[in-house]
Amino acid sequence: MPTCVRCGKCCTALHLLTVEAQDVARWRHEGREDILRRVGETPDPGEEGGTVHEVWLSPRADGGGSGGGDDGHCPWLRRTPDGLAACAIHETKPARCRDYPAGCEQARRIGCMALP
């Protein structure tokens, strides 16, 4: 499994993502309206009654997701003074982000500098 070197490629190269319902439920429980404003919910065409949770959408004035990202980068990406990537929602980031990368090949595809 690659070791993160905080290059930030995952936050800049991976654009609109989807998250699990458990992530959304956790954010609701935590009262994280700042995160929820960037989540859109649409019907899942592959699952009757299911929902797709698209994330990092630009927030609308009414607090919902707009359907388009600001610049394509994760809005929670921050840079430390020494240029390393940092996640502003690290303590509650989605499972997809916590589990990234799944392996060296996935990391290499986006130019991630993670070390095996």
Side-chain angles (χ1 to χ4, degrees):
M1 183 63 141
T3 300
C4 180
V5 295
R6 297 178 57 194
C7 67
K9 295 280 186 177
C10 54
C11 303
T12 58
L14 300 174
H15 302 292
L16 187 64
L17 301 174
T18 58
V19 295
E20 300 297 323
Q22 294 86 346
D23 291 316
V24 176
R26 183 179 69 252
W27 296 329
R28 286 184 179 132
H29 177 74
E30 294 171 349
R32 293 301 303 259
E33 293 301 318
D34 57 331
I35 298 173
L36 292 169
R37 280 191 297 273
R38 291 187 169 270
V39 176
E41 296 181 347
T42 58
D44 185 346
E47 181 182 334
E48 175 107 13
T51 302
V52 174
H53 302 279
E54 296 173 328
V55 291
W56 312 158
L57 306 174
S58 299
R60 294 190 313 237
D62 67 2
S66 71
D70 294 335
D71 60 6
H73 298 172
C74 176
W76 310 111
L77 172 64
R78 303 293 184 270
R79 292 286 177 180
T80 62
D82 56 359
L84 296 176
C87 177
I89 61 168
H90 182 74
E91 73 285 351
T92 193
K93 66 185 173 182
R96 174 166 283 176
C97 296
R98 282 193 307 274
D99 296 342
Y100 183 85
C104 293
E105 182 56 36
Q106 185 181 25
R108 274 193 289 274
R109 275 197 304 268
I110 65 162
C112 177
M113 301 172 75
L115 304 171

